[in-house]
Amino acid sequence: MTPAPRRAAVLAAVVVAVLGALLLPAGTASAAPGDDPAATPSTGPVGVSLTSLEPRTVRPDSTIQLVGTLTNDGDDTITDITVRLQRGDRLTSRQELADDAATPSAGDAAQAPFSPQVGVLEPGDSIPLGYTATAADLGIVEDGVYPVLVNVNGTRNGLVERVGELSTYLVAAASTTSRTSVAWLWPLTERPHRDAAGAFVDDDLAGEISADGRLDRALDVLEDLPDGGRTVPVTLAVDPALVEEVTAMAAGYTVAGATGQGVTAAADWLERLRALASVHPVVALPYADVDADALQAAGLPAVVTRSLPGTPEGTASQPLDAQGDPVATPTAAPTAPADDEDTDTGAGARILADALDVTPRTDLAWPAGGTVRPDTLATLRAGGVGELVLGQGAYADAAAAVGRTGRAAAARVPVTTGADTLTTLVADGALGDVVAAADTTAGGARVVEQRYLAELGVLTSQLAAVDPAVAQTVLVVPPREVQADPSWATAMMADTASEPWLAAVSVDDLTRGPVADAGALVAPTGDGQLSGVGLATVAEAVAIRDDFAAAVDDAGVVLAGYDAAIARASSAAWRGDPSGFTARTTDLQQTLTGLRGRVGLVAPADGTYSLASSDAPLVLTVRNDLPFAVTVTLDLQTRSGVGFDADPVSDRRLEPDSRTVVQVPTSVRQSGSFTVVARLATPAGGQLGTQVELRVSSTAYGPITLVITLGAAALLALLFLRRLVRFVLRRRRGEPGPVEDDALPGADDAPTAPPAAPPTRSPV
């Protein structure tokens, strides 16, 4: 090309560039090709993840630093990679934040300069991300929450375009004096791993408490808190059944006859939890974290009560052996709590007290699903519950409690129930959702934490606009089986103590904090609860348990293991596992039904009894193969109901592991054989063992037979007497009496006498 044409081309390019700059909107003058903010954002083939975003609280003079990774998930090579931050409009309410999370801002309010990144992204490759901008670059001069976009540009197939993006938030808080108090309720729950007899059905719990298991990481989160967690009083919501299972594992256990693999892990996990419980408040959940609403709806409120830790009627717990270790099947009668134990609380509280060396709080309940039926609430209140943690869906107007109305948030909501007022605490739904989705959120753990800070930042901004002096409280409650990781969970908790506009408090502190009016409680719909078919099976098992309760001494102690089995089968953890729920309820029913078969009558070897007299007792043997005493009643009935009667037998106490002889008074009215059906039952009428059919033979004379026999004897005596009288009279007249030939001595040898002459007849 000659110099003249070259100069003309350059001049044309300059003109086009100038015209383009003049025609572009002011806010987009620095936009790169393919970076039209008005265009629909496209995530592109490059994934963006952040490991660091500092500072957490931005000030007008702050320098914002991003560190992370760019990954090419596409099929094309990408070169000339550049990154920048661009922000959207300041968010002033929780609703605006929710809307932005649903449809992220394009970030067209202000843009910082692009910064080149080192490296080429081949398909499947990653390169480091490093970016720095100032608050001034983004025009952040006012406190509040700002949506920002990490915009990644690059050259693909010869074209410069946006190849990746990531939305997050910046929180500015330079001048605010308002503070939001944040409490965490941290769940330590797990589905039951034992069957109705108390034996382990799998070894999955060993994996959960071992390195990098879910429950191992749940403790890691707390152990990684600064200052040993003393400045962040996270409240632990602990299932006593879980601690009981881990305690059993630490003592040595088997699974399907093989030695369990989690003995060492269980001992370590318990020791770690014990150390954490000495720092953080502990709340005892119901044993096995039962689905209280589902049980109440099925007409089983007593099962709920027996699982509660705050009442002496909370009996559910697995029996212990002589060394005090949990055992699968009791080999001896259970014993009542020692006199020095706190008998004003339930077994769940004692399990935690013994294992963790703490006195847990027992008056706070956290129903599964975050809602509660009115009748369930009455059952909980009667069982020692004075406060509830509920979800936003439990209230008619929860927006008022979580700051969605533009006013201060207050987690404490008094609710009128009958003649008194109940304190409830509202779990913030948006924060709970952030925690629940942390494992799957794009961009990594740091982005999750930033969304958490954004939710709290909006609340704090609202408070500053209303009245900075007003107290504001928020409760964060993760899902029961949250997949926690210290990279985000520990950071979130620590933020409440490190950020000047936040304050870390305990759940107990919230109950003394500001009050919100969230309206009346809303009855739950029942969606997601345990299935009706499985609950019907539980009800059948409970009926057997209640039948036995009338037959034993101190049912709460003796049947505690079966109460524990019922609770484990009714755990809220089975809500998401219908097949597991069916398996556990079927096993429960079979186990309780088998309880009846361990007490019964011992049938005679040949099935026949012989009575020697009309009032001879019928002697029966009754067995009790249970490790505790049982009171039974015995009933005998004949098939025909004629000739044989058995007197009523008073209730009989059968000692543990015994054979008892029972004598049943009888009355026989005639000799012969009788078919008698013997039935053993509890005092409430439930049959024990199988009924036994007996063949009773009697050779004794009954009244009728005796009359006939005596009458025949009397008639025979009269006939003999008549014959004797006639014989005597003949002798006196000298007439020989009739003699039987074979009655005379030597009759066989005597000659045959001539025939007698015919008698002389008198003349007519």
Side-chain angles (χ1 to χ4, degrees), residues 235-642:
T235 301
L236 310 182
V238 185
D239 177 6
L242 168 60
V243 172
E244 189 181 62
E245 285 191 356
V246 179
T247 302
M249 292 170 65
Y253 68 108
T254 60
V255 180
T259 301
Q261 300 301 304
V263 175
T264 301
D268 292 344
W269 193 86
L270 274 178
E271 185 62 32
R272 294 166 60 199
L273 180 56
R274 189 177 298 114
L276 290 169
S278 67
V279 176
H280 300 281
V282 176
V283 170
L285 296 175
Y287 185 92
D289 194 23
V290 297
D291 193 333
D293 265 350
L295 289 168
Q296 189 77 41
L300 300 172
V303 176
V304 178
T305 299
R306 288 193 286 267
S307 74
L308 296 178
T311 171
E313 296 177 355
T315 55
S317 64
Q318 199 62 37
L320 305 177
D321 62 14
Q323 287 72 43
D325 297 323
V327 294
T329 303
T331 56
T335 57
D339 292 338
D340 58 349
E341 292 189 18
D342 184 4
T343 55
D344 292 333
T345 57
R350 292 194 292 272
I351 290 170
L352 297 187
D354 293 342
L356 307 181
D357 195 25
V358 296
T359 300
R361 185 175 176 184
T362 61
D363 65 334
L364 179 66
W366 174 33
T371 57
V372 63
R373 291 164 52 104
D375 49 355
T376 305
L377 181 56
T379 299
L380 296 175
R381 296 296 307 274
V385 172
E387 298 173 4
L388 291 177
V389 172
L390 300 173
Q392 291 182 207
Y395 303 88
D397 186 19
V402 296
R404 282 190 174 271
T405 61
R407 302 187 62 81
R412 177 185 171 194
V413 177
V415 175
T416 301
T417 59
D420 61 355
T421 300
L422 173 70
T423 295
T424 68
L425 300 174
V426 184
D428 192 289
L431 291 171
D433 290 344
V434 169
V435 175
D439 251 19
T440 58
T441 299
R446 186 64 187 85
V447 174
V448 176
E449 180 191 358
Q450 205 62 23
R451 171 66 190 280
Y452 165 80
L453 289 172
E455 292 284 353
L456 296 175
V458 168
L459 282 173
T460 306
S461 297
Q462 290 180 178
L463 182 62
V466 176
D467 185 351
V470 172
Q472 180 166 243
T473 57
V474 175
L475 175 60
V476 184
V477 182
R480 276 168 156 74
E481 293 196 0
V482 60
Q483 295 289 340
D485 191 290
S487 64
W488 57 265
T490 302
M492 289 182 185
M493 294 175 183
D495 286 340
T496 59
S498 62
E499 298 308 301
W501 45 279
L502 296 176
V505 297
S506 69
V507 171
D508 190 48
D509 293 330
L510 297 184
T511 62
R512 298 185 293 270
V515 173
D517 182 5
L521 292 181
V522 177
T525 61
D527 294 340
Q529 293 181 3
L530 298 178
S531 71
V533 175
L535 288 170
T537 305
V538 173
E540 294 174 6
V542 172
I544 298 174
R545 182 267 177 208
D546 291 345
D547 183 63
F548 260 87
V552 300
D553 299 330
D554 199 352
V557 174
V558 171
L559 302 178
Y562 299 101
D563 295 339
I566 293 169
R568 289 195 295 268
S570 308
S571 173
W574 301 121
R575 283 187 170 192
D577 185 3
S579 61
F581 181 48
T582 299
R584 295 279 66 82
T585 55
T586 300
D587 171 64
L588 174 69
Q589 183 187 40
Q590 292 173 347
T591 300
L592 269 293
T593 301
L595 192 62
R596 293 192 184 279
R598 297 179 67 182
V599 182
L601 290 161
V602 179
D606 59 359
T608 302
Y609 285 92
S610 295
L611 301 180
S613 64
S614 63
D615 59 353
L618 184 62
V619 180
L620 301 174
T621 301
V622 183
R623 62 178 175 81
N624 177 19
D625 297 333
L626 293 170
F628 47 82
V630 180
T631 299
V632 300
T633 182
L634 179 64
D635 178 62
L636 275 72
Q637 298 290 335
T638 60
R639 291 290 191 193
S640 62
V642 177

Side-chain angles (χ1 to χ4, degrees), residues 203-255:
D203 211 8
D204 294 348
L205 184 55
E208 298 290 358
I209 61 177
S210 297
D212 203 38
R214 186 183 69 83
L215 291 172
D216 170 71
R217 285 183 281 113
L219 298 191
D220 284 343
V221 168
L222 303 174
E223 291 169 334
D224 288 351
L225 287 171
D227 191 29
R230 290 170 178 79
T231 57
V232 186
V234 178
T235 301
L236 310 182
V238 185
D239 177 6
L242 168 60
V243 172
E244 189 181 62
E245 285 191 356
V246 179
T247 302
M249 292 170 65
Y253 68 108
T254 60
V255 180

